[in-house]
Amino acid sequence: MKRNSKLIPSMIKDQRLIAERRRQIIEGAVRLFVKKGFHKTTTREIARECGLSIGTMYEYIQSKEDVLYLVCEDIHSDLEKRLLEVVIESDSGMESLRKGLKQLFRVMDEMRPLVLLIYQETKSLPNDKMKYVLSKEEEITGLFERILHKGMQDGTIGIDPSSIKLMAHNIMVMGQMWTFRHWSLGKHYDVQEYTDRQMALLLGEFTNGGKRDGNRSDST
Amino acid sequence: MKRNSKLIPSMIKDQRLIAERRRQIIEGAVRLFVKKGFHKTTTREIARECGLSIGTMYEYIQSKEDVLYLVCEDIHSDLEKRLLEVVIESDSGMESLRKGLKQLFRVMDEMRPLVLLIYQETKSLPNDKMKYVLSKEEEITGLFERILHKGMQDGTIGIDPSSIKLMAHNIMVMGQMWTFRHWSLGKHYDVQEYTDRQMALLLGEFTNGGKRDGNRSDST
Amino acid sequence: MKRNSKLIPSMIKDQRLIAERRRQIIEGAVRLFVKKGFHKTTTREIARECGLSIGTMYEYIQSKEDVLYLVCEDIHSDLEKRLLEVVIESDSGMESLRKGLKQLFRVMDEMRPLVLLIYQETKSLPNDKMKYVLSKEEEITGLFERILHKGMQDGTIGIDPSSIKLMAHNIMVMGQMWTFRHWSLGKHYDVQEYTDRQMALLLGEFTNGGKRDGNRSDST
Amino acid sequence: MKRNSKLIPSMIKDQRLIAERRRQIIEGAVRLFVKKGFHKTTTREIARECGLSIGTMYEYIQSKEDVLYLVCEDIHSDLEKRLLEVVIESDSGMESLRKGLKQLFRVMDEMRPLVLLIYQETKSLPNDKMKYVLSKEEEITGLFERILHKGMQDGTIGIDPSSIKLMAHNIMVMGQMWTFRHWSLGKHYDVQEYTDRQMALLLGEFTNGGKRDGNRSDST
DNA sequence: CATGAATGAGATTTCATTCAT
DNA sequence: TATGAATGAAATCTCATTCAT
């Protein structure tokens, strides 16, 4: 789980200390990144905010971009952990989906500024780090893929197998859009309404069919 | 239409010249922003790319952020124009929606890098400019709101009035996600498939009801 | 001759200005490098010393190492120019050698701190630049090779062809050692004595033979 | 012999330990200095290379420059020791010179990177340490002075007493130039050739006279 | 109107050295 | 004695913006 200790080298030997200090760094940096964005935050500000000297901070990272990576990685991990919490093996596909969606919207709301952050700043990562973060994103999407697949197999969710990937993405995006469109959505809906409506839309789709051909659009 | 000539002051009197030079600036800047992002592009590079001296460029803008604003504004305008093209007064709501969606996905695909750009860099605008750009975004969303509303009234689209705003957002986001999730979606679907499936999903919703209460989720 | 304008790119277009400012930079930097050495001189000090702002200075160079390169290149050019001054086509080999040596020792003495500088700091250049400077050094050595060769052919200098290269190096080193061993030599000899004695040594060698085998050492 | 234990204070009492640890330090540092130069080597790297912690290393030195001093001092000592090995009291001056020169060129070749190192980095020493190192250098030069003097007295070497100092320097420099001009000399001569030719040059001078006036150059 | 040289505040990063454990 | 985490001064370099020509 703490594979990142390998991905970002440190001058420090004590692994426990690395974890502790990096936590400080993440927490300080998140506050600033949320407030001012990655580019407008200076390394000195980060150091001050997390209570380390600039020199000490650089013992635990190699570059400012590393801080962004740590932050993104941490938020993604948290997200994933909280989604996994509600998925129970013994549930049917539909039950899992229902719980997963509810949790998704709840988490997205609770972590709104954080999710918005990774949403906006992932692109500022250096290429290799960005790939890793995107793969994490895909992994979380994969969670919903598996739920949909289970539902398809146990007959509780009506969906064409070739649509599973897309629907998983749709679900994730519906979760995220609460963060990145909140400037507008927030004026008209609260979380509860937003959750109810989006769940109705998605679950409706899955109970009405999903394999129906009659409605297929001719978008030629 | 060229309201921006007011928003961004220029040292130059000749309005025609302003329009011409700003077009140059936009075109040069877009190429660079798409390739390297806003922050990693320098004003010098922009000037070189658009064939102006740095001094001349600054006669037509006031800051680097102005360039970003011009670019965002231009892309949004283009987007809006192309969407408006297919909306005909005499069409029914459903017909408009169908055409609008098709066009939305087509345009999003054709302008993929550009839409991705505004998507990622709007947040780098200074507050007042960002508000203006977001209002433009809302305006475009409003287009779909009007279509849905028309369909609701002429009975061709089944939707609860309180869901119109949300569904319009959903539509816009489904369009945009083709750009910002293309790194993953592009591996599994081409535009055609993507368009077909997303239209089926949306149109299905609108033909099946939208006012249905039985399916309402209890996300308490 | 000003090929270096290509080797070190500048942000400035006006070639005359580049030459002028780089001269300022060279002159300021030389003073500081001679006094404190390359590593202990900061870029800000160089800028101040040559009367430019740090920003302006960096318009004419790309890195601190570029300054060192400019300095080395300039000193070498000067050295070469002053040696070439005294070499006249119509002179015999021996006459050229005599004049060349006298000039070599005079120049080495006059440029003592500068020659010491390139002597000590060339190794701090990045690899490609260092190669260029060393090739310049070889070029100057080549001047003495040509003189020796001419003397060999016109019979005024007795030397084995296979020794020409080595003797040219010996000559150059005897010139340079006046700079890098001056801390000791200077306590016992003045330039005049130094010149006389070293010339006697070298010219003696060339008049006594150079092809002699009887004295060959058996260093096995 | 271990006079340096006085020049460089240590926190440690046990003299044997000091000697042992400093040997480690010297050996590690030499490898790095030869490869990367003094300035580009960090104290941390030195500590790692010699198997000490940075803290421990600093118990045996006071500054990074101390390490350079230890290294220079060690190389000079080695050099001197190996030259002294071949000088036998009972030999004539000329015999000593011959053996001394042969050994000089052999040692310079074998210790080439090390000699080059002291050659290039001595100037980076703080003033007092540099003086000490230079005095060591002068001491070694003195060895050849003594040999020349002996030869002059026993009639085996023809040399003017006022030239002895200079010739000793010439000898040393001819030895060193094999290291600092090897980038060029090495392309044309191997050690054997180099040794033979330089010895012929020097010994020729000493057998032909050295007191001759006829060849004296008029470098006025 | 056009040009591009000049500016300097400010950003990131390094690294010799110390000192509590 | 040994360790290695902590420190922060200082170094290099960038780049948006201005303004004299």
Side-chain angles (χ1 to χ4, degrees):
Chain A
M1 184 170 275
K2 284 301 162 203
R3 242 163 285 139
N4 53 333
S5 34
K6 283 283 156 44
L7 270 183
I8 300 189
S10 167
M11 294 276 85
I12 303 304
K13 297 186 170 179
D14 185 339
Q15 290 300 316
R16 194 138 39 98
L17 201 49
I18 292 181
E20 186 189 329
R21 291 273 179 270
R22 285 192 175 165
R23 179 109 322 266
Q24 279 181 270
I25 294 173
I26 289 167
E27 252 136 53
V30 153
R31 279 193 293 275
L32 295 170
F33 291 171
V34 163
K35 208 197 307 170
K36 323 173 50 174
F38 173 70
H39 283 102
K40 294 202 173 160
T41 303
T42 69
T43 51
R44 304 196 98 87
E45 286 174 311
I46 298 171
R48 194 184 319 127
E49 182 77 21
C50 63
L52 299 175
S53 71
I54 184 71
T56 299
M57 188 173 85
Y58 267 90
E59 294 283 296
Y60 295 91
I61 55 162
Q62 305 227 96
S63 70
K64 190 186 171 192
E65 281 163 344
D66 280 356
V67 177
L68 181 57
Y69 172 73
L70 287 177
V71 164
C72 287
E73 212 272 342
D74 187 64
I75 296 173
H76 263 121
S77 289
D78 201 12
L79 210 81
E80 188 177 28
K81 202 193 73 198
R82 298 190 58 182
L83 286 178
L84 284 172
E85 273 170 11
V86 299
V87 179
I88 298 165
E89 201 51 41
S90 57
D91 281 344
S92 74
M94 178 53 90
E95 280 164 337
S96 269
L97 180 60
R98 222 181 265 274
K99 289 181 184 172
L101 285 174
K102 254 201 297 195
Q103 179 74 343
L104 175 68
F105 293 121
R106 174 185 300 124
V107 169
M108 285 291 170
D109 186 55
E110 285 171 14
M111 299 175 64
R112 187 144 59 77
L114 307 185
V115 173
L116 185 55
L117 176 62
I118 52 176
Y119 214 78
Q120 293 182 326
E121 305 289 13
T122 293
K123 69 156 208 318
S124 300
L125 287 168
N127 227 281
D128 56 328
K129 304 265 170 47
M130 187 178 72
K131 287 223 174 94
Y132 186 83
V133 168
L134 290 183
S135 76
K136 192 91 181 193
E137 173 80 29
E138 223 161 5
E139 203 180 308
I140 299 176
T141 309
L143 172 64
F144 282 101
E145 281 180 57
R146 282 193 300 282
I147 292 174
L148 292 173
H149 195 78
K150 186 178 190 187
M152 186 187 72
Q153 291 196 314
D154 67 18
T156 54
I157 294 175
I159 189 171
D160 187 283
S162 68
S163 283
I164 285 181
K165 202 141 214 130
L166 179 58
M167 288 311 296
H169 275 278
N170 280 337
I171 288 168
M172 283 297 287
V173 169
M174 277 188 172
Q176 292 171 335
M177 72 184 265
W178 180 244
T179 75
F180 65 75
R181 292 227 145 198
H182 191 266
W183 57 271
S184 178
L185 291 170
K187 292 188 291 193
H188 307 288
Y189 309 94
D190 60 25
V191 216
Q192 195 55 56
E193 288 171 310
Y194 182 76
T195 304
D196 287 349
R197 288 186 146 87
Q198 298 291 56
M199 283 187 69
L201 172 59
L202 288 164
L203 297 177
E205 167 70 10
F206 298 133
T207 49
N208 282 330
K211 281 189 172 177
R212 84 198 100 99
D213 277 58
N215 282 327
R216 178 126 292 167
S217 74
D218 56 326
S219 61
T220 36
Chain B
M1 183 171 275
K2 285 301 160 201
R3 242 163 286 139
N4 51 332
S5 34
K6 283 284 154 41
L7 271 181
I8 301 188
S10 166
M11 295 284 91
I12 306 301
K13 303 296 163 206
D14 183 341
Q15 288 302 313
R16 194 140 42 95
L17 201 49
I18 293 183
E20 187 190 328
R21 291 273 182 268
R22 285 189 176 167
R23 178 108 324 261
Q24 280 179 270
I25 293 173
I26 289 167
E27 252 136 52
V30 153
R31 278 193 293 275
L32 294 171
F33 290 172
V34 163
K35 208 196 306 172
K36 322 172 52 177
F38 173 69
H39 282 102
K40 295 202 174 158
T41 303
T42 68
T43 51
R44 267 176 160 164
E45 286 173 313
I46 298 170
R48 195 184 318 130
E49 181 78 18
C50 65
L52 299 175
S53 71
I54 184 73
T56 301
M57 188 172 86
Y58 265 88
E59 296 285 311
Y60 295 92
I61 56 162
Q62 305 227 96
S63 71
K64 189 187 171 192
E65 283 161 344
D66 281 356
V67 178
L68 180 56
Y69 172 72
L70 286 177
V71 163
C72 288
E73 212 272 341
D74 187 65
I75 295 172
H76 264 121
S77 290
D78 200 13
L79 209 81
E80 187 177 30
K81 203 193 74 198
R82 297 190 60 180
L83 286 178
L84 283 171
E85 272 170 12
V86 299
V87 180
I88 299 164
E89 202 52 40
S90 57
D91 280 344
S92 75
M94 177 52 92
E95 279 164 338
S96 268
L97 179 60
R98 223 182 265 272
K99 289 182 184 172
L101 285 174
K102 256 201 296 194
Q103 180 72 345
L104 176 69
F105 292 121
R106 175 185 300 125
V107 169
M108 286 292 170
D109 186 56
E110 284 171 15
M111 299 176 64
R112 188 144 58 78
L114 307 183
V115 174
L116 185 55
L117 176 62
I118 53 177
Y119 212 78
Q120 294 182 326
E121 305 289 12
T122 293
K123 69 159 206 318
S124 300
L125 286 169
N127 228 280
D128 55 330
K129 304 262 172 46
M130 188 177 71
K131 287 225 174 89
Y132 185 84
V133 168
L134 290 183
S135 76
K136 191 89 180 194
E137 173 81 27
E138 224 162 4
E139 202 180 309
I140 299 175
T141 309
L143 171 64
F144 282 101
E145 281 182 55
R146 282 195 299 285
I147 291 173
L148 292 173
H149 196 77
K150 185 178 189 187
M152 186 188 70
Q153 291 196 313
D154 68 17
T156 54
I157 293 175
I159 188 169
D160 188 283
S162 68
S163 281
I164 285 181
K165 203 142 213 125
L166 179 57
M167 287 310 296
H169 275 281
N170 280 338
I171 288 169
M172 283 297 287
V173 168
M174 277 189 174
Q176 292 171 336
M177 73 183 265
W178 180 243
T179 74
F180 65 74
R181 291 226 145 197
H182 191 267
W183 57 272
S184 178
L185 290 171
K187 291 188 292 193
H188 307 288
Y189 308 95
D190 60 26
V191 216
Q192 196 54 55
E193 287 171 313
Y194 182 76
T195 304
D196 288 348
R197 287 185 148 90
Q198 296 293 56
M199 283 188 69
L201 172 60
L202 287 164
L203 296 177
E205 168 69 11
F206 298 134
T207 50
N208 283 330
K211 281 188 172 179
R212 87 201 98 101
D213 277 59
N215 283 327
R216 181 125 291 168
S217 74
D218 57 327
S219 62
T220 38
Chain C
M1 185 169 274
K2 285 299 162 201
R3 240 163 287 138
N4 54 330
S5 34
K6 282 284 155 44
L7 270 183
I8 300 190
S10 166
M11 295 276 85
I12 302 304
K13 297 186 172 178
D14 185 338
Q15 289 300 316
R16 195 137 39 99
L17 201 49
I18 292 181
E20 186 189 328
R21 292 271 180 272
R22 285 191 176 166
R23 179 112 317 268
Q24 281 179 268
I25 294 173
I26 289 167
E27 252 135 53
V30 154
R31 280 193 293 275
L32 295 170
F33 290 172
V34 163
K35 205 197 308 171
K36 322 172 51 175
F38 173 69
H39 282 102
K40 294 202 174 158
T41 304
T42 71
T43 52
R44 303 194 100 89
E45 286 173 313
I46 299 171
R48 195 185 318 126
E49 181 77 18
C50 64
L52 299 175
S53 72
I54 182 74
T56 299
M57 187 173 86
Y58 267 92
E59 294 283 294
Y60 295 91
I61 54 161
Q62 304 227 99
S63 69
K64 190 187 170 191
E65 282 163 345
D66 281 355
V67 178
L68 180 57
Y69 172 73
L70 286 177
V71 163
C72 288
E73 212 272 342
D74 188 63
I75 296 173
H76 263 120
S77 290
D78 201 12
L79 210 81
E80 188 178 29
K81 203 194 72 199
R82 298 190 59 181
L83 287 178
L84 284 172
E85 272 170 11
V86 300
V87 180
I88 298 166
E89 201 53 39
S90 57
D91 281 344
S92 74
M94 178 52 90
E95 280 164 338
S96 269
L97 180 60
R98 224 181 264 273
K99 288 183 185 173
L101 286 175
K102 256 203 293 195
Q103 179 73 344
L104 175 68
F105 292 120
R106 173 185 302 124
V107 169
M108 285 292 169
D109 186 55
E110 285 170 16
M111 299 175 65
R112 188 145 58 78
L114 306 185
V115 174
L116 185 56
L117 176 62
I118 53 176
Y119 214 79
Q120 294 182 326
E121 304 290 12
T122 293
K123 69 157 207 319
S124 299
L125 287 169
N127 226 280
D128 55 329
K129 304 264 170 47
M130 188 179 71
K131 288 224 173 92
Y132 185 83
V133 168
L134 291 183
S135 75
K136 192 90 181 193
E137 174 81 27
E138 224 162 5
E139 203 181 307
I140 299 176
T141 309
L143 172 62
F144 282 100
E145 281 181 56
R146 281 193 301 282
I147 291 174
L148 292 173
H149 196 78
K150 186 178 187 186
M152 186 187 72
Q153 291 196 315
D154 66 17
T156 54
I157 295 176
I159 189 171
D160 187 283
S162 68
S163 281
I164 286 180
K165 203 140 214 131
L166 179 58
M167 287 312 296
H169 275 280
N170 280 337
I171 288 169
M172 284 296 288
V173 169
M174 277 189 173
Q176 292 170 337
M177 73 184 264
W178 180 244
T179 73
F180 65 74
R181 291 227 145 197
H182 191 266
W183 57 271
S184 177
L185 291 171
K187 291 187 293 192
H188 307 288
Y189 308 95
D190 60 24
V191 216
Q192 195 54 57
E193 288 171 311
Y194 183 75
T195 304
D196 288 348
R197 288 187 147 87
Q198 298 292 55
M199 282 186 70
L201 172 60
L202 288 164
L203 296 178
E205 166 71 9
F206 298 134
T207 49
N208 282 330
K211 281 189 172 180
R212 87 198 97 100
D213 277 59
N215 284 325
R216 179 126 293 166
S217 73
D218 57 325
S219 61
T220 38
Chain D
M1 184 172 274
K2 285 302 161 201
R3 242 163 288 138
N4 53 332
S5 35
K6 284 282 154 43
L7 272 182
I8 301 187
S10 166
M11 294 284 92
I12 305 302
K13 304 296 163 211
D14 182 343
Q15 288 301 315
R16 193 141 41 96
L17 200 48
I18 292 183
E20 186 189 330
R21 291 274 181 268
R22 285 190 176 168
R23 178 104 327 257
Q24 280 180 272
I25 294 174
I26 289 167
E27 252 137 52
V30 154
R31 278 194 293 275
L32 294 171
F33 290 172
V34 164
K35 209 196 308 172
K36 322 172 52 177
F38 173 69
H39 282 102
K40 293 201 175 157
T41 304
T42 68
T43 51
R44 266 175 159 164
E45 286 173 312
I46 298 171
R48 195 184 316 127
E49 182 77 18
C50 65
L52 300 175
S53 71
I54 183 72
T56 301
M57 189 172 86
Y58 265 89
E59 296 285 312
Y60 296 92
I61 56 163
Q62 304 227 96
S63 71
K64 189 188 171 190
E65 283 161 344
D66 280 356
V67 178
L68 181 57
Y69 172 72
L70 286 177
V71 163
C72 288
E73 211 272 341
D74 187 65
I75 295 173
H76 263 121
S77 290
D78 200 13
L79 209 79
E80 187 177 29
K81 203 193 74 197
R82 297 190 59 181
L83 286 178
L84 284 172
E85 272 170 13
V86 299
V87 180
I88 299 166
E89 202 50 43
S90 56
D91 281 343
S92 74
M94 177 52 92
E95 278 164 338
S96 268
L97 180 60
R98 220 181 265 274
K99 288 182 185 173
L101 286 175
K102 254 200 300 194
Q103 180 73 344
L104 176 68
F105 292 121
R106 174 186 300 124
V107 169
M108 285 293 170
D109 186 56
E110 284 170 15
M111 297 175 66
R112 186 145 57 79
L114 307 185
V115 174
L116 185 56
L117 175 62
I118 53 176
Y119 212 78
Q120 295 182 325
E121 304 289 13
T122 293
K123 68 156 207 320
S124 300
L125 287 169
N127 227 280
D128 56 329
K129 303 262 172 47
M130 189 177 73
K131 286 223 174 94
Y132 185 83
V133 168
L134 291 183
S135 75
K136 191 91 181 192
E137 173 80 29
E138 224 162 3
E139 202 181 308
I140 299 175
T141 309
L143 172 64
F144 282 100
E145 282 181 56
R146 282 194 301 284
I147 290 173
L148 291 173
H149 196 77
K150 184 177 189 187
M152 187 186 71
Q153 291 195 313
D154 67 17
T156 53
I157 295 176
I159 189 169
D160 187 283
S162 69
S163 281
I164 285 181
K165 204 144 210 125
L166 179 57
M167 287 311 296
H169 275 281
N170 279 339
I171 288 168
M172 283 297 286
V173 169
M174 276 190 174
Q176 292 171 336
M177 73 183 264
W178 180 244
T179 73
F180 65 74
R181 291 225 145 197
H182 191 268
W183 57 271
S184 179
L185 290 171
K187 289 188 294 192
H188 306 289
Y189 307 96
D190 59 26
V191 216
Q192 195 54 56
E193 288 171 311
Y194 183 75
T195 304
D196 287 348
R197 288 186 146 89
Q198 297 292 58
M199 282 186 70
L201 173 60
L202 288 165
L203 296 178
E205 168 69 11
F206 298 134
T207 49
N208 283 330
K211 280 188 172 182
R212 85 201 97 100
D213 277 57
N215 283 327
R216 179 128 292 167
S217 74
D218 56 326
S219 63
T220 37

